[in-house]
Amino acid sequence: MSSCNIARESGLPDEKNGKERLWNAGYVKVMLCNFLLFFAFYLLTPLLPIYLDEQFAADKDMLGLVLSGYVVATLLVRPFSGFVVDTFNRKRVLVACFFLFFIIFTGYIGAGTLLMFAIVRTLHGIPFGAATVANSTVALDVLPSSRRNEGIGYYGLSNNLAMAVAPSAGIYIYHATSNFMLLFWLSLILALAGFICSTTVKLPKIKKTPGRPVMSLDHFFLTRGWLLAVNIIFFGLCWGVMSNYVAIYGQEELDITDGTGFFFMLLSAGLMISRMFGVKSLRAGKMTRNAAVGVLLSLVGYSLFAFVITPWSYYLAALLIGLGNGQMYPAFLTMFVKVARHDQRGTANSSILISWDFGMGLGILLGGVIAESFGFVTAFHIVAFMQGGGALLFLLFTRGFFNRRKLNEN
């Protein structure tokens, strides 16, 4: 392999201009893997409540229980995922997790009872949780250190875009065909493509840190970033309620049956625009500024969604929530990495994902319970207050906490 090709694959300095290459082949491949992972998973997400209602006549309490099962499994596996990717061969871990993620999609096709579906959905959280940690850690490995902040910002575009576009695509396909089996097969094929892509990623050799203890708490959770984690739980809860119940909320409260896809398109546009404009300030190290802007924009979006129940506010809220999360999440991810040692990248990634998923799980479960007793309007009122609480926590405490604990080695 020529020196030029090595630079292209690993992110070494370009021989002509001495600048480290951001868009090297390894980085592009892990972004594609990430996009396919999330697209396959979130193609089904907004439609599963409708599927469970139509296929198994599940009530709202049961919807929350079944749909939150995968989050519980994800939460259980993620602390160990960070330890595994920091300890063993990351390429092999990534490929193995992606294979399991792909193969479990066959369970949706074969599940004939609500119990079987709940088991499959819960089991799917294990490889999904592990693969997201492995893939995001591999992304840090293939990025040149001088452009890591910038790379983290762009990397998140792949899963944010998938999480926004995939539900729109799923809803469009469902309304066009009314065929859930087609959606399950499409997700299976996309997951297979992601697995194949993961096998082609080449990683640089990572030096082991001498004298590192074999087992310690910070292998499983980044204790240095505990307040960052608490803050992310607030925002994950809000996203969990919104992303899982927006379709059925639109049907019941606004009589919107075909417009949910447009909601996710606007959400996607907000995420994309915000990510692209936020990368420059991330590169300059302005993580706390980006996070502050993001949490406040999201607060306006969730408040508009909850308290102004009209079609125009429904769609404008989608754009604002997208803009806010596109600023907030990559800034928080960068902050997690900045308070971790270089040999804790897997733990840093798993910690933010554990926190996000814990919040999402609470949101899915509590959203279903509250909606069953008080309606979806009340559920989204609570979401707006939770976003406000998270914004206050960040502005008053978390950003100062980060500035005191950040390290210079990452």
Side-chain angles (χ1 to χ4, degrees):
M1 183 182 288
S2 69
S3 60
C4 182
N5 286 335
I6 293 172
R8 188 177 298 112
E9 184 71 37
S10 64
L12 294 173
D14 189 297
E15 291 182 355
K16 292 183 178 180
N17 56 28
K19 188 177 181 181
E20 291 184 301
R21 185 187 298 273
L22 173 63
W23 295 100
N24 62 76
Y27 181 56
V28 171
K29 287 175 183 177
V30 294
M31 284 192 70
L32 179 58
C33 288
N34 199 49
F35 177 81
L36 291 169
L37 178 79
F38 277 85
F39 199 99
F41 199 77
Y42 281 90
L43 186 69
L44 306 176
T45 297
L47 292 164
L48 289 181
I50 298 171
Y51 175 74
L52 295 175
D53 180 43
E54 290 183 2
Q55 190 74 14
F56 305 112
D59 61 24
K60 293 183 179 70
D61 285 335
M62 186 57 66
L63 286 179
L65 189 61
V66 172
L67 296 177
S68 62
Y70 89 89
V71 182
V72 174
T74 299
L75 281 170
L76 291 175
V77 77
R78 275 203 167 134
F80 301 98
S81 302
F83 171 73
V84 169
V85 297
D86 281 338
T87 306
F88 301 102
N89 184 290
R90 287 173 183 168
K91 166 74 173 289
R92 293 176 184 173
V93 172
L94 175 62
V95 170
C97 292
F98 232 118
F99 177 77
L100 291 174
F101 174 74
F102 147 67
I103 207 68
I104 290 178
F105 273 107
T106 59
Y108 296 116
I109 299 169
T113 66
L114 183 60
L115 176 60
M116 183 59 69
F117 190 95
I119 292 171
V120 171
R121 186 65 175 172
T122 300
L123 288 176
H124 213 177
I126 297 174
F128 178 73
T132 50
V133 173
N135 201 74
S136 54
T137 307
V138 165
L140 292 173
D141 288 343
V142 298
L143 280 167
S145 59
S146 65
R147 307 191 71 177
R148 189 162 289 133
N149 288 1
E150 182 183 4
I152 289 173
Y154 281 123
Y155 175 80
L157 278 173
S158 56
N159 58 277
N160 281 157
L161 179 61
M163 289 170 69
V165 174
S168 302
I171 291 166
Y172 176 81
I173 293 168
Y174 170 68
H175 284 301
T177 66
S178 298
N179 189 338
F180 280 105
M181 285 300 117
L182 174 62
L183 289 165
F184 293 148
W185 277 104
L186 284 174
S187 291
L188 178 71
I189 292 167
L190 288 166
L192 174 60
F195 163 67
I196 294 170
C197 183
S198 71
T199 64
T200 67
V201 177
K202 295 180 181 178
L203 297 183
K205 291 184 178 180
I206 306 297
K207 292 181 179 179
K208 298 291 183 182
T209 300
R212 191 176 183 224
V214 176
M215 294 290 283
S216 64
L217 180 59
D218 68 356
H219 281 318
F220 301 99
F221 189 83
L222 190 65
T223 53
R224 283 181 55 83
W226 68 268
L227 189 55
L228 293 167
V230 171
N231 218 158
I232 280 289
I233 289 172
F234 280 81
F235 306 134
L237 185 150
C238 299
W239 186 274
V241 178
M242 185 273 296
S243 62
N244 280 270
Y245 297 113
V246 66
I248 198 166
Y249 169 83
Q251 286 184 1
E252 291 191 2
E253 301 297 332
L254 295 170
D255 198 29
I256 295 174
T257 56
D258 296 329
T260 310
F262 187 54
F263 179 96
F264 282 103
M265 286 178 63
L266 289 171
L267 188 70
S268 171
L271 287 165
M272 289 287 293
I273 293 167
S274 192
R275 285 272 189 173
M276 289 187 290
F277 281 96
V279 163
K280 184 177 180 180
S281 54
L282 275 182
R283 186 169 60 236
K286 299 177 181 178
M287 287 81 73
T288 55
R289 194 200 73 167
N290 276 28
V293 170
V295 300
L296 291 174
L297 275 173
S298 295
L299 176 59
V300 174
Y302 282 116
S303 299
L304 191 63
F305 189 94
F307 296 107
V308 185
I309 307 175
T310 63
W312 71 265
S313 60
Y314 177 84
Y315 293 120
L316 179 58
L319 181 63
L320 291 172
I321 292 169
L323 288 169
N325 275 271
Q327 285 278 323
M328 177 272 296
Y329 192 88
F332 266 86
L333 176 55
T334 307
M335 286 190 281
F336 268 88
V337 173
K338 285 289 185 181
V339 300
R341 301 188 308 268
H342 71 87
D343 61 322
Q344 291 180 303
R345 290 173 188 166
T347 306
N349 274 291
S350 66
S351 296
I352 187 173
L353 291 169
I354 288 165
S355 308
W356 181 262
D357 283 341
F358 182 71
M360 276 193 66
L362 282 177
I364 296 169
L365 186 60
L366 294 177
V369 171
I370 294 167
E372 180 69 22
S373 301
F374 305 103
F376 281 110
V377 173
T378 300
F380 281 105
H381 283 170
I382 292 173
V383 165
F385 285 118
M386 290 299 295
Q387 180 69 28
L392 283 174
L393 177 62
F394 177 76
L395 295 172
L396 297 178
F397 300 104
T398 307
R399 61 180 173 181
F401 172 89
F402 164 72
N403 286 327
R404 292 190 299 271
R405 296 199 172 202
K406 65 183 177 181
L407 303 174
N408 294 320
E409 62 181 76
N410 284 315

